[in-house]
Short mmCIF file of all heavy atoms in Angstrom, two decimals:
data_model
loop_
_atom_site.label_atom_id
_atom_site.label_comp_id
_atom_site.label_asym_id
_atom_site.label_seq_id
_atom_site.Cartn_x
_atom_site.Cartn_y
_atom_site.Cartn_z
N MET D 1 5.48 11.90 10.86
CA MET D 1 4.70 11.44 9.73
C MET D 1 5.44 10.29 9.06
O MET D 1 6.62 10.39 8.77
CB MET D 1 4.49 12.59 8.75
CG MET D 1 3.74 12.16 7.51
SD MET D 1 3.16 13.53 6.51
CE MET D 1 4.62 13.92 5.59
N LYS D 2 4.74 9.22 8.79
CA LYS D 2 5.33 8.06 8.14
C LYS D 2 5.43 8.31 6.63
O LYS D 2 4.50 8.80 6.01
CB LYS D 2 4.49 6.82 8.41
CG LYS D 2 5.09 5.56 7.86
CD LYS D 2 4.25 4.36 8.23
CE LYS D 2 4.81 3.13 7.60
NZ LYS D 2 4.00 1.95 7.86
N LYS D 3 6.58 7.93 6.07
CA LYS D 3 6.77 8.10 4.64
C LYS D 3 6.02 7.01 3.88
O LYS D 3 5.86 5.90 4.37
CB LYS D 3 8.26 8.02 4.29
CG LYS D 3 9.04 9.18 4.83
CD LYS D 3 10.45 9.16 4.32
CE LYS D 3 11.23 8.06 5.01
NZ LYS D 3 12.62 8.02 4.60
N ASP D 4 5.59 7.32 2.67
CA ASP D 4 4.92 6.35 1.81
C ASP D 4 5.92 5.62 0.91
O ASP D 4 5.63 4.53 0.44
CB ASP D 4 3.89 7.03 0.91
CG ASP D 4 2.72 7.59 1.70
OD1 ASP D 4 2.39 7.01 2.74
OD2 ASP D 4 2.16 8.60 1.26
N GLU D 5 7.06 6.25 0.63
CA GLU D 5 8.06 5.68 -0.28
C GLU D 5 9.44 5.77 0.33
O GLU D 5 9.72 6.67 1.13
CB GLU D 5 8.05 6.43 -1.62
CG GLU D 5 6.76 6.31 -2.37
CD GLU D 5 6.76 7.09 -3.67
OE1 GLU D 5 7.74 7.82 -3.96
OE2 GLU D 5 5.77 6.98 -4.41
N VAL D 6 10.31 4.82 -0.05
CA VAL D 6 11.70 4.83 0.39
C VAL D 6 12.58 4.66 -0.85
O VAL D 6 12.26 3.89 -1.74
CB VAL D 6 12.00 3.74 1.44
CG1 VAL D 6 11.32 4.06 2.74
CG2 VAL D 6 11.59 2.37 0.96
N PRO D 7 13.69 5.38 -0.93
CA PRO D 7 14.56 5.29 -2.10
C PRO D 7 15.32 3.98 -2.15
O PRO D 7 15.52 3.30 -1.13
CB PRO D 7 15.52 6.47 -1.95
CG PRO D 7 15.46 6.84 -0.51
CD PRO D 7 14.14 6.40 0.01
N TYR D 8 15.74 3.60 -3.36
CA TYR D 8 16.60 2.42 -3.54
C TYR D 8 17.78 2.53 -2.57
O TYR D 8 18.30 3.62 -2.34
CB TYR D 8 17.18 2.36 -4.94
CG TYR D 8 16.19 2.16 -6.07
CD1 TYR D 8 16.59 2.39 -7.37
CD2 TYR D 8 14.89 1.74 -5.86
CE1 TYR D 8 15.72 2.20 -8.44
CE2 TYR D 8 14.02 1.56 -6.92
CZ TYR D 8 14.43 1.78 -8.21
OH TYR D 8 13.58 1.59 -9.25
N GLY D 9 18.20 1.42 -2.00
CA GLY D 9 19.35 1.40 -1.10
C GLY D 9 19.02 1.66 0.35
O GLY D 9 19.88 1.52 1.21
N SER D 10 17.77 2.00 0.66
CA SER D 10 17.39 2.26 2.05
C SER D 10 17.42 0.98 2.87
O SER D 10 17.05 -0.09 2.39
CB SER D 10 15.97 2.84 2.12
OG SER D 10 15.92 4.11 1.55
N ASP D 11 17.86 1.08 4.12
CA ASP D 11 17.76 -0.03 5.06
C ASP D 11 16.33 -0.02 5.58
O ASP D 11 15.86 1.00 6.07
CB ASP D 11 18.74 0.15 6.22
CG ASP D 11 20.18 0.01 5.77
OD1 ASP D 11 20.43 -0.54 4.69
OD2 ASP D 11 21.05 0.44 6.53
N VAL D 12 15.65 -1.16 5.44
CA VAL D 12 14.23 -1.21 5.80
C VAL D 12 13.91 -2.42 6.66
O VAL D 12 14.68 -3.37 6.74
CB VAL D 12 13.34 -1.24 4.54
CG1 VAL D 12 13.46 0.04 3.76
CG2 VAL D 12 13.66 -2.45 3.68
N SER D 13 12.74 -2.38 7.27
CA SER D 13 12.25 -3.52 8.03
C SER D 13 11.60 -4.51 7.06
O SER D 13 11.35 -4.19 5.91
CB SER D 13 11.25 -3.06 9.07
OG SER D 13 10.11 -2.52 8.44
N ALA D 14 11.33 -5.72 7.57
CA ALA D 14 10.65 -6.72 6.75
C ALA D 14 9.29 -6.17 6.32
O ALA D 14 8.63 -5.44 7.05
CB ALA D 14 10.48 -8.00 7.55
N GLY D 15 8.87 -6.52 5.12
CA GLY D 15 7.59 -6.08 4.61
C GLY D 15 7.51 -6.28 3.12
O GLY D 15 8.36 -6.93 2.51
N SER D 16 6.49 -5.72 2.53
CA SER D 16 6.35 -5.79 1.07
C SER D 16 6.33 -4.38 0.51
O SER D 16 5.86 -3.44 1.14
CB SER D 16 5.10 -6.58 0.69
OG SER D 16 3.94 -5.99 1.24
N TYR D 17 6.85 -4.28 -0.69
CA TYR D 17 7.06 -2.99 -1.34
C TYR D 17 6.67 -3.10 -2.81
O TYR D 17 6.73 -4.19 -3.38
CB TYR D 17 8.53 -2.57 -1.22
CG TYR D 17 8.99 -2.49 0.21
CD1 TYR D 17 9.43 -3.62 0.90
CD2 TYR D 17 8.93 -1.29 0.90
CE1 TYR D 17 9.80 -3.55 2.23
CE2 TYR D 17 9.31 -1.22 2.23
CZ TYR D 17 9.75 -2.35 2.89
OH TYR D 17 10.11 -2.28 4.21
N ALA D 18 6.28 -2.00 -3.42
CA ALA D 18 5.98 -1.96 -4.85
C ALA D 18 6.79 -0.83 -5.46
O ALA D 18 6.91 0.25 -4.86
CB ALA D 18 4.49 -1.72 -5.09
N CYS D 19 7.34 -1.06 -6.63
CA CYS D 19 8.12 -0.03 -7.30
C CYS D 19 7.22 1.19 -7.51
O CYS D 19 6.10 1.08 -8.01
CB CYS D 19 8.64 -0.54 -8.64
SG CYS D 19 9.55 0.71 -9.56
N ALA D 20 7.72 2.35 -7.12
CA ALA D 20 6.94 3.60 -7.25
C ALA D 20 6.76 4.00 -8.70
O ALA D 20 5.88 4.81 -9.01
CB ALA D 20 7.63 4.72 -6.47
N ASP D 21 7.57 3.44 -9.60
CA ASP D 21 7.48 3.80 -11.01
C ASP D 21 6.67 2.81 -11.85
O ASP D 21 5.91 3.21 -12.71
CB ASP D 21 8.88 3.95 -11.61
CG ASP D 21 9.61 5.15 -11.05
OD1 ASP D 21 9.12 6.28 -11.23
OD2 ASP D 21 10.65 4.96 -10.40
N CYS D 22 6.86 1.48 -11.62
CA CYS D 22 6.20 0.51 -12.50
C CYS D 22 5.28 -0.46 -11.77
O CYS D 22 4.56 -1.22 -12.41
CB CYS D 22 7.25 -0.28 -13.30
SG CYS D 22 8.20 -1.48 -12.34
N GLY D 23 5.31 -0.48 -10.43
CA GLY D 23 4.41 -1.34 -9.68
C GLY D 23 4.93 -2.74 -9.38
O GLY D 23 4.24 -3.52 -8.73
N TYR D 24 6.14 -3.07 -9.80
CA TYR D 24 6.72 -4.39 -9.51
C TYR D 24 6.71 -4.60 -8.00
O TYR D 24 7.13 -3.73 -7.25
CB TYR D 24 8.15 -4.46 -10.07
CG TYR D 24 8.86 -5.77 -9.77
CD1 TYR D 24 8.80 -6.81 -10.69
CD2 TYR D 24 9.58 -5.95 -8.59
CE1 TYR D 24 9.45 -8.01 -10.44
CE2 TYR D 24 10.23 -7.16 -8.34
CZ TYR D 24 10.15 -8.18 -9.26
OH TYR D 24 10.79 -9.36 -9.00
N GLU D 25 6.23 -5.76 -7.54
CA GLU D 25 6.15 -6.01 -6.10
C GLU D 25 7.33 -6.83 -5.62
O GLU D 25 7.79 -7.75 -6.30
CB GLU D 25 4.83 -6.69 -5.75
CG GLU D 25 3.67 -5.74 -5.93
CD GLU D 25 2.38 -6.21 -5.29
OE1 GLU D 25 2.40 -7.14 -4.47
OE2 GLU D 25 1.35 -5.62 -5.64
N TYR D 26 7.81 -6.49 -4.42
CA TYR D 26 8.99 -7.11 -3.82
C TYR D 26 8.71 -7.33 -2.34
O TYR D 26 8.21 -6.44 -1.66
CB TYR D 26 10.18 -6.16 -4.00
CG TYR D 26 11.44 -6.56 -3.28
CD1 TYR D 26 12.26 -7.55 -3.78
CD2 TYR D 26 11.82 -5.92 -2.11
CE1 TYR D 26 13.43 -7.92 -3.12
CE2 TYR D 26 12.98 -6.27 -1.44
CZ TYR D 26 13.78 -7.28 -1.96
OH TYR D 26 14.94 -7.63 -1.31
N ALA D 27 9.01 -8.55 -1.86
CA ALA D 27 8.84 -8.85 -0.43
C ALA D 27 10.21 -9.03 0.19
O ALA D 27 11.07 -9.71 -0.36
CB ALA D 27 8.01 -10.11 -0.26
N ASN D 28 10.40 -8.43 1.35
CA ASN D 28 11.67 -8.47 2.07
C ASN D 28 11.40 -9.10 3.43
O ASN D 28 10.65 -8.56 4.22
CB ASN D 28 12.19 -7.04 2.21
CG ASN D 28 13.48 -6.97 2.96
OD1 ASN D 28 14.26 -7.91 2.96
ND2 ASN D 28 13.72 -5.85 3.61
N GLN D 29 12.02 -10.26 3.72
CA GLN D 29 11.76 -10.96 4.96
C GLN D 29 12.73 -10.60 6.08
O GLN D 29 12.57 -11.04 7.20
CB GLN D 29 11.76 -12.47 4.72
CG GLN D 29 10.66 -12.91 3.80
CD GLN D 29 9.27 -12.52 4.30
OE1 GLN D 29 8.97 -12.64 5.48
NE2 GLN D 29 8.43 -12.02 3.42
N SER D 30 13.77 -9.86 5.79
CA SER D 30 14.72 -9.47 6.83
C SER D 30 15.25 -8.08 6.52
O SER D 30 15.11 -7.60 5.42
CB SER D 30 15.88 -10.47 6.89
OG SER D 30 16.57 -10.48 5.66
N LYS D 31 15.89 -7.47 7.54
CA LYS D 31 16.43 -6.13 7.31
C LYS D 31 17.58 -6.20 6.32
O LYS D 31 18.51 -6.98 6.48
CB LYS D 31 16.91 -5.51 8.62
CG LYS D 31 15.78 -5.08 9.50
CD LYS D 31 16.28 -4.26 10.66
CE LYS D 31 15.09 -3.77 11.47
NZ LYS D 31 15.49 -2.88 12.53
N ARG D 32 17.51 -5.39 5.31
CA ARG D 32 18.56 -5.30 4.29
C ARG D 32 18.27 -4.09 3.41
O ARG D 32 17.19 -3.55 3.44
CB ARG D 32 18.62 -6.57 3.46
CG ARG D 32 17.31 -6.88 2.75
CD ARG D 32 17.34 -8.21 2.08
NE ARG D 32 17.77 -8.03 0.70
CZ ARG D 32 17.80 -9.00 -0.18
NH1 ARG D 32 17.47 -10.21 0.16
NH2 ARG D 32 18.18 -8.78 -1.40
N SER D 33 19.22 -3.70 2.64
CA SER D 33 19.04 -2.56 1.75
C SER D 33 18.16 -2.95 0.58
O SER D 33 18.34 -4.02 -0.01
CB SER D 33 20.39 -2.07 1.24
OG SER D 33 21.15 -1.56 2.30
N LEU D 34 17.22 -2.10 0.25
CA LEU D 34 16.35 -2.38 -0.89
C LEU D 34 17.12 -2.24 -2.20
O LEU D 34 17.80 -1.23 -2.42
CB LEU D 34 15.16 -1.42 -0.91
CG LEU D 34 14.06 -1.70 0.09
CD1 LEU D 34 13.03 -0.57 0.05
CD2 LEU D 34 13.39 -3.02 -0.22
N PRO D 35 17.01 -3.22 -3.07
CA PRO D 35 17.70 -3.15 -4.37
C PRO D 35 16.94 -2.25 -5.34
O PRO D 35 15.77 -1.91 -5.08
CB PRO D 35 17.66 -4.60 -4.85
CG PRO D 35 16.36 -5.11 -4.29
CD PRO D 35 16.26 -4.46 -2.93
N PRO D 36 17.54 -1.91 -6.45
CA PRO D 36 16.78 -1.23 -7.50
C PRO D 36 15.73 -2.19 -8.06
O PRO D 36 15.87 -3.40 -7.96
CB PRO D 36 17.82 -0.90 -8.58
CG PRO D 36 19.13 -1.04 -7.91
CD PRO D 36 18.95 -2.01 -6.79
N CYS D 37 14.70 -1.68 -8.66
CA CYS D 37 13.68 -2.49 -9.31
C CYS D 37 14.35 -3.31 -10.42
O CYS D 37 15.20 -2.79 -11.16
CB CYS D 37 12.61 -1.59 -9.91
SG CYS D 37 11.35 -2.48 -10.85
N PRO D 38 13.97 -4.58 -10.59
CA PRO D 38 14.56 -5.40 -11.66
C PRO D 38 14.28 -4.84 -13.06
O PRO D 38 15.01 -5.13 -13.99
CB PRO D 38 13.90 -6.77 -11.49
CG PRO D 38 13.33 -6.79 -10.14
CD PRO D 38 13.08 -5.37 -9.75
N ASP D 39 13.21 -4.04 -13.21
CA ASP D 39 12.89 -3.45 -14.51
C ASP D 39 13.51 -2.07 -14.70
O ASP D 39 13.19 -1.37 -15.65
CB ASP D 39 11.36 -3.35 -14.66
CG ASP D 39 10.70 -4.71 -14.74
OD1 ASP D 39 11.36 -5.66 -15.20
OD2 ASP D 39 9.53 -4.82 -14.35
N PHE D 40 14.43 -1.68 -13.81
CA PHE D 40 15.03 -0.35 -13.83
C PHE D 40 15.64 0.01 -15.19
O PHE D 40 15.50 1.13 -15.66
CB PHE D 40 16.11 -0.27 -12.74
CG PHE D 40 16.80 1.06 -12.65
CD1 PHE D 40 16.14 2.16 -12.14
CD2 PHE D 40 18.10 1.21 -13.08
CE1 PHE D 40 16.77 3.39 -12.05
CE2 PHE D 40 18.74 2.43 -12.99
CZ PHE D 40 18.07 3.53 -12.48
N LYS D 41 16.31 -0.94 -15.84
CA LYS D 41 16.97 -0.66 -17.12
C LYS D 41 16.05 -0.88 -18.32
O LYS D 41 16.42 -0.58 -19.43
CB LYS D 41 18.23 -1.50 -17.25
CG LYS D 41 19.29 -1.09 -16.24
CD LYS D 41 20.58 -1.83 -16.45
CE LYS D 41 21.60 -1.35 -15.43
NZ LYS D 41 22.90 -1.96 -15.61
N VAL D 42 14.85 -1.43 -18.09
CA VAL D 42 13.92 -1.71 -19.18
C VAL D 42 13.03 -0.51 -19.48
O VAL D 42 12.81 -0.18 -20.64
CB VAL D 42 13.06 -2.95 -18.83
CG1 VAL D 42 12.06 -3.25 -19.93
CG2 VAL D 42 13.94 -4.16 -18.56
N ILE D 43 12.50 0.12 -18.43
CA ILE D 43 11.66 1.30 -18.61
C ILE D 43 12.16 2.40 -17.67
O ILE D 43 12.82 2.12 -16.68
CB ILE D 43 10.17 0.99 -18.32
CG1 ILE D 43 9.97 0.48 -16.90
CG2 ILE D 43 9.60 0.02 -19.33
CD1 ILE D 43 8.52 0.29 -16.49
N PRO D 44 11.88 3.67 -17.97
CA PRO D 44 12.35 4.76 -17.11
C PRO D 44 11.79 4.66 -15.68
O PRO D 44 10.64 4.31 -15.49
CB PRO D 44 11.81 6.02 -17.80
CG PRO D 44 11.57 5.62 -19.21
CD PRO D 44 11.19 4.16 -19.15
N HIS D 45 12.65 4.95 -14.72
CA HIS D 45 12.29 4.94 -13.30
C HIS D 45 12.78 6.24 -12.65
O HIS D 45 13.74 6.25 -11.90
CB HIS D 45 12.92 3.74 -12.60
CG HIS D 45 12.21 2.45 -12.84
ND1 HIS D 45 12.18 1.84 -14.06
CD2 HIS D 45 11.50 1.67 -12.00
CE1 HIS D 45 11.49 0.72 -13.96
NE2 HIS D 45 11.06 0.59 -12.72
N PRO D 46 12.11 7.36 -12.91
CA PRO D 46 12.58 8.64 -12.37
C PRO D 46 12.49 8.75 -10.84
O PRO D 46 13.30 9.45 -10.24
CB PRO D 46 11.67 9.68 -13.04
CG PRO D 46 10.46 8.91 -13.45
CD PRO D 46 10.93 7.51 -13.75
N LYS D 47 11.54 8.07 -10.21
CA LYS D 47 11.42 8.17 -8.74
C LYS D 47 12.51 7.38 -8.03
O LYS D 47 12.91 7.74 -6.93
CB LYS D 47 10.05 7.68 -8.28
CG LYS D 47 8.92 8.60 -8.66
CD LYS D 47 7.62 8.09 -8.07
CE LYS D 47 6.48 9.02 -8.38
NZ LYS D 47 5.23 8.54 -7.79
N ARG D 48 12.92 6.25 -8.60
CA ARG D 48 13.95 5.38 -8.00
C ARG D 48 13.62 5.09 -6.54
O ARG D 48 14.43 5.27 -5.64
CB ARG D 48 15.33 5.99 -8.13
CG ARG D 48 15.75 6.17 -9.57
CD ARG D 48 17.10 6.79 -9.69
NE ARG D 48 17.40 6.99 -11.10
CZ ARG D 48 18.59 7.04 -11.61
NH1 ARG D 48 19.64 6.92 -10.83
NH2 ARG D 48 18.76 7.23 -12.89
N ALA D 49 12.39 4.64 -6.31
CA ALA D 49 11.92 4.40 -4.95
C ALA D 49 10.93 3.24 -4.92
O ALA D 49 10.39 2.84 -5.95
CB ALA D 49 11.25 5.65 -4.39
N TRP D 50 10.72 2.73 -3.70
CA TRP D 50 9.74 1.67 -3.45
C TRP D 50 8.62 2.26 -2.60
O TRP D 50 8.86 2.96 -1.63
CB TRP D 50 10.38 0.52 -2.70
CG TRP D 50 11.39 -0.24 -3.49
CD1 TRP D 50 12.74 -0.05 -3.47
CD2 TRP D 50 11.15 -1.29 -4.41
NE1 TRP D 50 13.36 -0.93 -4.33
CE2 TRP D 50 12.41 -1.71 -4.93
CE3 TRP D 50 10.00 -1.94 -4.87
CZ2 TRP D 50 12.53 -2.73 -5.85
CZ3 TRP D 50 10.14 -2.96 -5.79
CH2 TRP D 50 11.37 -3.35 -6.27
N LYS D 51 7.37 1.94 -2.96
CA LYS D 51 6.22 2.33 -2.15
C LYS D 51 6.03 1.27 -1.06
O LYS D 51 6.10 0.08 -1.34
CB LYS D 51 4.97 2.41 -3.03
CG LYS D 51 3.76 2.88 -2.30
CD LYS D 51 2.60 3.07 -3.25
CE LYS D 51 1.40 3.48 -2.45
NZ LYS D 51 0.92 4.77 -2.82
N ILE D 52 5.83 1.68 0.16
CA ILE D 52 5.67 0.77 1.29
C ILE D 52 4.24 0.21 1.27
O ILE D 52 3.28 0.97 1.39
CB ILE D 52 5.94 1.48 2.62
CG1 ILE D 52 7.34 2.08 2.63
CG2 ILE D 52 5.73 0.53 3.79
CD1 ILE D 52 7.57 3.09 3.74
N LEU D 53 4.11 -1.11 1.13
CA LEU D 53 2.81 -1.76 1.16
C LEU D 53 2.51 -2.30 2.57
O LEU D 53 1.42 -2.11 3.09
CB LEU D 53 2.74 -2.90 0.14
CG LEU D 53 2.97 -2.50 -1.31
CD1 LEU D 53 2.94 -3.74 -2.21
CD2 LEU D 53 1.95 -1.49 -1.78
N THR D 54 3.47 -3.02 3.15
CA THR D 54 3.34 -3.52 4.52
C THR D 54 4.69 -3.36 5.21
O THR D 54 5.72 -3.24 4.56
CB THR D 54 2.94 -5.00 4.56
OG1 THR D 54 3.98 -5.79 3.99
CG2 THR D 54 1.63 -5.26 3.84
N GLY D 55 4.71 -3.38 6.51
CA GLY D 55 5.96 -3.22 7.26
C GLY D 55 6.16 -1.79 7.70
O GLY D 55 5.34 -0.91 7.42
N ALA D 56 7.27 -1.55 8.38
CA ALA D 56 7.54 -0.24 8.96
C ALA D 56 8.32 0.68 8.03
O ALA D 56 8.50 1.85 8.34
CB ALA D 56 8.30 -0.40 10.28
N GLY D 57 8.83 0.16 6.92
CA GLY D 57 9.55 1.01 5.99
C GLY D 57 10.97 1.28 6.43
O GLY D 57 11.66 0.41 6.92
N ASP D 58 11.43 2.52 6.26
CA ASP D 58 12.81 2.92 6.55
C ASP D 58 13.22 2.64 7.98
O ASP D 58 12.47 2.90 8.92
CB ASP D 58 12.96 4.43 6.32
CG ASP D 58 13.85 4.78 5.17
OD1 ASP D 58 14.58 3.90 4.68
OD2 ASP D 58 13.84 5.94 4.77
N ALA D 59 14.44 2.14 8.14
CA ALA D 59 15.01 1.94 9.47
C ALA D 59 15.40 3.30 10.04
O ALA D 59 15.98 4.13 9.35
CB ALA D 59 16.22 1.03 9.40
N GLU D 60 15.10 3.55 11.30
CA GLU D 60 15.40 4.84 11.93
C GLU D 60 16.89 5.13 11.95
O GLU D 60 17.32 6.27 11.86
CB GLU D 60 14.85 4.89 13.35
CG GLU D 60 13.36 4.95 13.41
CD GLU D 60 12.85 5.04 14.82
OE1 GLU D 60 13.61 5.53 15.69
OE2 GLU D 60 11.71 4.65 15.06
N GLN D 61 17.71 4.07 12.06
CA GLN D 61 19.17 4.26 12.14
C GLN D 61 19.78 4.73 10.82
O GLN D 61 20.84 5.30 10.79
CB GLN D 61 19.85 2.95 12.54
CG GLN D 61 19.39 2.38 13.84
CD GLN D 61 18.14 1.51 13.69
OE1 GLN D 61 17.47 1.50 12.67
NE2 GLN D 61 17.82 0.78 14.74
N ASP D 62 19.12 4.47 9.70
CA ASP D 62 19.65 4.82 8.38
C ASP D 62 18.51 5.25 7.49
O ASP D 62 18.10 4.52 6.60
CB ASP D 62 20.39 3.62 7.77
CG ASP D 62 21.07 3.97 6.46
OD1 ASP D 62 21.32 5.15 6.22
OD2 ASP D 62 21.34 3.05 5.68
N PRO D 63 17.93 6.43 7.75
CA PRO D 63 16.73 6.81 7.04
C PRO D 63 16.91 7.07 5.55
O PRO D 63 15.98 6.89 4.79
CB PRO D 63 16.27 8.07 7.76
CG PRO D 63 17.49 8.59 8.40
CD PRO D 63 18.35 7.41 8.71
N TYR D 64 18.08 7.46 5.12
CA TYR D 64 18.31 7.71 3.70
C TYR D 64 19.67 7.18 3.28
O TYR D 64 20.65 7.40 3.98
CB TYR D 64 18.25 9.21 3.39
CG TYR D 64 16.90 9.81 3.60
CD1 TYR D 64 16.61 10.50 4.76
CD2 TYR D 64 15.90 9.66 2.67
CE1 TYR D 64 15.37 11.04 4.98
CE2 TYR D 64 14.65 10.20 2.87
CZ TYR D 64 14.39 10.89 4.02
OH TYR D 64 13.15 11.42 4.23
N PRO D 65 19.74 6.50 2.14
CA PRO D 65 21.06 6.05 1.67
C PRO D 65 21.89 7.24 1.17
O PRO D 65 21.33 8.26 0.78
CB PRO D 65 20.72 5.11 0.52
CG PRO D 65 19.40 5.60 0.02
CD PRO D 65 18.68 6.13 1.23
N ASN D 66 23.17 7.12 1.22
CA ASN D 66 24.09 8.15 0.70
C ASN D 66 23.91 9.51 1.34
O ASN D 66 24.12 10.54 0.71
CB ASN D 66 23.95 8.27 -0.82
CG ASN D 66 24.15 6.95 -1.51
OD1 ASN D 66 25.01 6.15 -1.11
ND2 ASN D 66 23.37 6.69 -2.54
N GLY D 67 23.43 9.56 2.58
CA GLY D 67 23.31 10.84 3.30
C GLY D 67 22.24 11.77 2.80
O GLY D 67 22.26 12.95 3.07
N ARG D 68 21.25 11.30 2.05
CA ARG D 68 20.20 12.17 1.53
C ARG D 68 19.34 12.71 2.61
O ARG D 68 19.02 12.20 3.57
CB ARG D 68 19.32 11.39 0.56
CG ARG D 68 19.96 11.16 -0.75
CD ARG D 68 18.92 10.61 -1.68
NE ARG D 68 19.56 9.75 -2.65
CZ ARG D 68 18.95 8.97 -3.44
NH1 ARG D 68 17.66 8.87 -3.42
NH2 ARG D 68 19.58 8.22 -4.30
#
């Protein structure tokens, strides 16, 4: 089953993502760890995750940051 959301710090494929808490959209053109939402310190972000809009989401080699 494909996940709908990936936590901050996940290694992901290229695609677009939206903050699961506030909806801020972020596009990633290469594999890299997803940063925290830029509005993280402005409003509460209890999910601390990105919703996958396009792309494959989490990289199979590193499905969760910090061993989650």
Side-chain angles (χ1 to χ4, degrees):
M1 177 168 82
K2 184 177 176 183
K3 293 187 286 182
D4 293 330
E5 297 178 355
V6 290
Y8 295 165
S10 293
D11 292 342
V12 295
S13 64
S16 58
Y17 302 84
C19 177
D21 291 299
C22 73
Y24 178 92
E25 291 194 15
Y26 172 78
N28 179 28
Q29 296 302 318
S30 62
K31 286 190 177 185
R32 59 187 267 186
S33 294
L34 284 174
C37 176
D39 293 332
F40 181 73
K41 293 185 179 183
V42 179
I43 59 174
H45 282 67
K47 290 185 178 181
R48 298 179 183 206
W50 292 96
K51 183 175 178 118
I52 302 165
L53 301 177
T54 65
D58 246 346
E60 290 182 25
Q61 302 86 346
D62 185 21
Y64 294 99
N66 305 322
R68 285 190 210 168

